[in-house]
Amino acid sequence: MLTLPPLSLYIHIPWCVRKCPYCDFNSHQSDTHVPEQAYVAALARDLAADAELAQGRRLTSIFFGGGTPSLFSCAAIGEILNSAERIIGFEENIEITLEANPGTFEQDKFRGFRSAGVNRLSIGIQSFNDEQLQALGRIHDGDAALKATDTARRAGFDNLNLDLMHGLPGQSLAAAMQDLNTALALEPEHLSWYQLTIEPNTVFYSKPPTLPVEDTLADIQDVGHDKLQQAGFKRYEVSAYARTARAKHNMNYWQFGDYLGIGAGAHGKFTTPNNGTIFRQWKTRQPDAYLNADAGPGRFPNPFCAGREVIEPDARALEFLLNALRLTEGCAPTTFTERTGLPLDALEPHWQELAGKGLVQSRSQRIATTELGMRFLNDVLGAYT
């Protein structure tokens, strides 16, 4: 039987100083002043129109993503958070994350973001190597990345995530480990350590760089994983390592929780136990169109909404597994039934076949892969497509 899961809020800020050649997110380079106040007001109207989807729940986490959310002023971030608390409400100990870049201009804001209510900062470092940063189209250098973490600490942030890529153009095992050693020396609470992938609709897709060969990529992953474990970081998701604090917001995604999504192109997912429905929706993608989305009648109760689709029962097992099997510990069997409304038998006959190959655990104990299955996760998920 379906039950209401926890509720999170994703807030999309679509502007950035420069579009990175590997980025496939809904981000738009702005060479001029962004329409901050108009966008803040639109976000509040968007959230108010979605308020009934909360179904009485308060927010367990908020995540500002982009684009570059730290382009906005501290006052604007505070105003957005005040609207979220007024319209939906906050659970005690809510986690509020903001993505930030290490540019000097943004570092000056860190203390203001903390005062506005942000209690977790995610800094997009990607690399500490200046040549690699240039190849990735980043606007900061390695020194700025080091200073950003120091500034964040002095601003009062005690829950810090660093985003770090590996498998970069021309990167050797030694260079990748130097990046990782530098990050570990900064003692963040959390590391998102992931391999660069070439996505469609990016500059790198049309003009692909020369990436390390498969053997080097495998060595980077294996040696880096061991190094992280030795440093006290536990891998709890494919590319997420926690020393003290897992990302509450991302855990809700991976456990097939619900989330409101506001802002240009933001997505949301919702459970309605009364009629046994799970659906997702997405907002108008282009920033200019989003700002004016409620100027006329819309097709949906929320005029900012560009589309909705129901996740039918026969698609829910795969939707759940696409998220939950990214977790090294997976999920409890009861979580599968509560979040999908399906019996455990819905996983058969594939689960038994995968278990026979040593790729997944017994479904009566955990909905999880084995260590071998995590290495071949695409093959596990492929059984359900």
Side-chain angles (χ1 to χ4, degrees):
M1 176 179 179
L2 279 175
T3 61
L4 271 180
L7 181 68
S8 298
L9 171 63
Y10 175 76
I11 302 167
H12 192 72
I13 310 294
W15 293 282
C16 56
V17 175
R18 181 192 297 168
K19 180 83 170 180
C20 296
Y22 58 85
C23 177
D24 68 335
F25 296 132
N26 184 32
S27 58
H28 302 264
Q29 185 168 315
S30 176
D31 298 322
T32 59
H33 180 70
V34 299
E36 180 179 274
Q37 281 304 309
Y39 196 76
V40 169
L43 288 173
R45 298 195 302 273
D46 186 0
L47 186 59
D50 268 354
E52 64 177 18
L53 297 173
Q55 301 174 79
R57 292 169 291 179
R58 295 176 178 270
L59 298 171
T60 61
S61 66
I62 296 174
F63 194 100
F64 287 88
T68 308
S70 53
L71 285 179
F72 271 29
S73 68
C74 306
I77 297 299
E79 188 175 344
I80 295 167
L81 291 176
N82 289 338
S83 294
E85 186 168 24
R86 171 176 52 83
I87 295 169
I88 306 296
F90 292 175
E91 289 283 5
E92 189 176 357
N93 299 320
I94 184 174
E95 174 194 272
I96 302 176
T97 303
L98 183 136
E99 290 184 331
N101 282 341
T104 302
F105 174 72
E106 291 163 16
Q107 290 183 47
D108 295 337
K109 298 182 180 177
F110 285 0
R111 191 176 299 277
F113 291 142
R114 186 69 187 91
S115 298
V118 176
N119 55 27
R120 183 175 184 268
L121 203 63
S122 180
I123 303 179
I125 287 174
Q126 315 312 354
S127 175
F128 295 93
N129 182 292
D130 288 348
E131 290 184 7
Q132 295 287 2
L133 289 169
Q134 290 177 8
L136 291 173
R138 304 296 287 175
I139 62 173
H140 68 275
D141 59 17
D143 186 56
L146 294 171
K147 289 180 179 177
T149 57
D150 178 65
T151 302
R153 293 302 194 196
R154 288 189 284 107
F157 284 99
D158 57 6
N159 192 356
L160 192 63
N161 171 66
L162 302 183
D163 265 358
L164 196 66
M165 285 185 178
H166 60 83
L168 305 180
Q171 189 178 50
S172 65
L173 171 62
M177 292 306 100
Q178 184 175 358
D179 262 354
L180 194 53
N181 286 332
T182 303
L184 290 173
L186 298 173
E187 299 186 333
E189 284 68 39
H190 192 281
L191 266 173
S192 297
W193 188 62
Y194 52 95
Q195 182 178 319
L196 170 65
T197 56
I198 307 300
E199 303 290 349
N201 302 315
T202 65
V203 173
F204 275 178
Y205 188 78
S206 58
K207 299 178 181 179
T210 301
L211 300 180
V213 298
E214 289 296 325
D215 286 349
T216 300
L217 292 174
D219 288 343
I220 290 172
Q221 182 65 55
D222 291 343
V223 175
H225 175 70
D226 290 344
K227 185 181 293 290
L228 283 159
Q229 282 192 315
Q230 293 168 11
F233 282 82
K234 178 177 175 57
R235 184 191 193 191
Y236 68 97
E237 188 266 345
V238 170
S239 57
Y241 295 78
R243 184 164 59 92
T244 57
R246 297 182 177 187
K248 184 185 294 186
H249 187 85
N250 289 342
M251 284 296 294
N252 192 41
Y253 287 158
W254 295 323
Q255 293 174 326
F256 212 49
D258 282 358
Y259 49 95
L260 297 159
I262 61 172
H267 285 235
K269 176 254 174 184
F270 310 95
T271 304
T272 53
N274 289 342
N275 61 16
T277 301
I278 302 174
F279 69 94
R280 60 168 61 90
Q281 70 176 20
W282 51 94
K283 302 300 173 58
T284 299
R285 183 177 176 84
Q286 292 298 321
D288 289 344
Y290 176 84
L291 286 168
N292 297 292
D294 57 349
R299 292 184 296 142
F300 303 98
N302 182 342
F304 293 91
C305 186
R308 278 186 177 182
E309 66 177 0
V310 173
I311 303 175
E312 301 291 354
D314 61 0
R316 290 179 192 171
L318 176 59
E319 290 281 345
F320 181 91
L321 296 176
L322 283 169
N323 292 281
L325 292 188
R326 292 184 63 88
L327 295 168
T328 57
E329 298 172 357
C331 289
T334 52
T335 303
F336 175 81
T337 57
E338 291 169 355
R339 303 286 166 88
T340 66
L342 302 174
L344 281 178
D345 288 346
L347 294 172
E348 299 301 351
H350 305 303
W351 198 267
Q352 187 173 357
E353 295 170 357
L354 292 166
K357 297 176 181 178
L359 298 175
V360 297
Q361 300 180 26
S362 168
R363 64 173 172 81
S364 64
Q365 302 297 319
R366 299 290 296 177
I367 308 300
T369 67
T370 60
E371 185 174 343
L372 178 65
M374 182 61 75
R375 284 181 171 268
F376 295 96
L377 184 56
N378 287 339
D379 293 334
V380 173
L381 296 172
Y384 290 89
T385 57

